[in-house]
Amino acid sequence: MSRTFSTGFFTPLSKWLLAVAVLAVAVGLWFQWTDDDALFDGIPAWQAKVSPASQWSGSDVSSVTAKSSSHALADDDGYVGRDACRECHADQFESYSRTTHSRSFRETDRALDPPPGSFFHAKSSCQYDVVYRGDSMVHRETLKAPDGASIAVTDQPIDFTMGSGAHAHTYLFQVDGFWLESPITWYSEPKTWQLSPGYDAVDHASFHRVVPNACLFCHAGRISISSENENRFEVVEATIGCERCHGPGKEHIDRYRSLDGTMSSRSESDSSSEAKKDSMGDRIVHPAKLDRQRSEAICQQCHLQGATMITASGASVWDFRPGDRMIDLRTDFQSTGPAESKIVGHVEQIHASRCYQQSETLTCITCHNPHPSGVIEDPVAHYRDHCLQCHQDQDCGIDSDQRLRTNKNACVACHMPKQETNVAHAALHHHRIGIHPDTLTSDAPPGGEVTPHSGEIASIIADDSLSDDERQRRESLAVGRLLLTKPSLAIPASQVQRASQAMLARVADHSVADHSVDAETYAILAMFALSGENFAAAAQYANAAIAIADSNTEIASSATSVLAEVAFRSGDNAAALSHYQQLCQSGHSAKDFYFLGLCLRNAGRMDDAIEAIERALRIQPEFASAHEVMVAIFNEQDPDRARLHLDVLEQLRRLERR
């Protein structure tokens, strides 16, 4: 298998649609190298010629921060942080501290993180190394030529560790206020460094995969989001804390302090205080006292994840509050086809269980105690006891002696077996309680199997309570988004046609001014119009998307990229230059900097063009088209430098032919 280094951007429809869809999120920048730093020994000559990032106006990390223009999900929303709960709820805090939620996100720390390591990824022809420089962790990627020579080297200091380590640690770093993911992950069960989920491919995102703020929703407690760019943010509370399950605590704390003066001095036996408390009502959420739908929604915040998710109009995943119904905020759509065991597939699996369907009380917290009293000494007996709340031991069709010999009579070994997931090195218990093939005997009795999908994408949880219009809106957006981002999905033509007609009808029935149509609807239609080379319609839809996108940077960037491409392909260099400048200010996409360089070159601004192409190559060093432009620019003014880029092109072509 060879690594592909495409020099063209206007590819066939399916590939092009995928490229456009990820345009707004493909960002990155590798760390500045210096000649006197031993960490960067072996940097190829062409990379050493690229201008350091500090020479580019506005590009230095310290000059751009989210803090200067951000709004926080903090005091004004009633959040106080987990430490404020500790004063009165010490026992609950101590039990919470034993959970993986309490270790979901932190600054990278050599004392807590794994040791150095190395591995080679043959598909991408990259060598990966994890090293420490003092107390700082550094991830290195070296693109290797067939003869073993280094084509490009990227060294990136790491800032944050994401994940508790129960299964893995993934690593993040910041550039210009953006958060980016390292391609290197530590997997706990095999105790090894390997590629991060989604990177095992010939072409992958290297160090330029942006982390949208929604991705941190399930790993960090709270964040502060820039009002100018939603993908610039700061972490306010690192770990998943008390308020994620119990709701904002400020009113709860203020209530008790107003009654007793201080939290620590309050007397539960004071009858007058108790009467006053009862009249005010409790202001904190107790998940066990909610109905099943609302209780499960607390877990579904993160443990419900399909092929794509569509929120209510204008809403964000961060808008959820404990006690809400999940369907009121968002719909998670599942891709169709054979059932897949996912790293986050618990909800659809448990909902497919007859145990769940025939019970009114079985929920996540039936088996998973968020405040464990201690280490479970005998997990087999512990979880079997949960099963025996409804079942009898003799209900099992397998003889008890055989069960004891085979798996110590562990119910979950047969009925919730551990299976590999769509994330490497992460095997989890399947949450469909039923009869699974090959778990105990080859002739196990049938029953409880998952019903085959119909072929259409559909909501994972029931959405009957939504209006027909809202259900149609969410479905059409989901279909449009999946066609752009996951064109390999076999969505039935009938559903595609239904979604297209719904989007077009919505646009026809409303003007842009009344904001009744989602900006994403216009952006999707713009991308499809562009793919059909209907430039007029593409520009019209893109302008409408931008007009109502508000602070949604990703949608605005997607629409702006349509306008930029329309202008570039139509020969309007001035308009294309303006659009690409805007894209490069709001993100760090190698493609955007590349086309900005072309526009600057067309405008006769050679020094600026070189700077833009260098930016593209710092983001994506194997970018063949950018190397070609550098060869053309330097052929006359600096033949030696032109030769360096030509050598890189020849090495990349040899990789293609492998």
Side-chain angles (χ1 to χ4, degrees), residues 368-426:
H368 299 287
N369 185 354
H371 289 284
S373 58
V375 177
I376 299 174
E377 299 293 342
D378 186 350
V380 170
H382 174 82
Y383 290 108
R384 184 173 58 241
D385 286 345
H386 285 300
C387 299
L388 294 179
Q389 291 177 17
C390 296
H391 300 279
Q392 301 297 317
D393 185 71
Q394 59 269 28
D395 292 342
C396 185
I398 305 298
D399 179 75
S400 60
D401 289 339
Q402 184 179 355
R403 282 183 268 142
L404 286 168
R405 289 194 308 269
T406 305
N407 55 34
K408 299 181 181 179
N409 198 19
C411 303
V412 296
C414 290
H415 302 291
M416 299 179 67
K418 218 170 191 182
Q419 295 183 351
E420 294 296 325
T421 67
N422 60 338
V423 172
H425 312 298

Side-chain angles (χ1 to χ4, degrees), residues 35 149 155 195 213 246 270 273 310 314 349 413 502:
D35 293 336
D155 278 65
L195 285 181
N213 72 71
H246 297 287
D270 188 324
S273 287
I310 304 296
Q349 291 170 2

Side-chain angles (χ1 to χ4, degrees), residues 640-657:
D640 289 339
R641 189 168 179 186
R643 183 69 224 178
L644 292 176
H645 289 280
L646 187 59
D647 288 344
V648 173
L649 281 170
E650 291 173 353
Q651 290 172 317
L652 294 176
R653 287 163 183 158
R654 285 200 296 271
L655 278 180
E656 285 184 327
R657 293 193 296 266

Side-chain angles (χ1 to χ4, degrees), residues 510-571:
H510 300 278
S511 69
V512 176
D514 67 16
H515 285 218
S516 297
V517 181
D518 296 87
E520 187 174 4
T521 296
Y522 286 115
I524 290 171
L525 292 174
M527 293 177 200
F528 280 119
L530 180 61
S531 69
E533 300 195 353
N534 186 342
F535 291 171
Q540 180 182 354
Y541 289 135
N543 281 314
I546 292 169
I548 60 175
D550 296 324
S551 61
N552 193 315
T553 309
E554 291 190 21
I555 292 176
S557 294
S558 296
T560 302
S561 71
V562 171
L563 294 177
E565 188 166 333
V566 166
F568 188 87
R569 295 173 67 181
S570 300

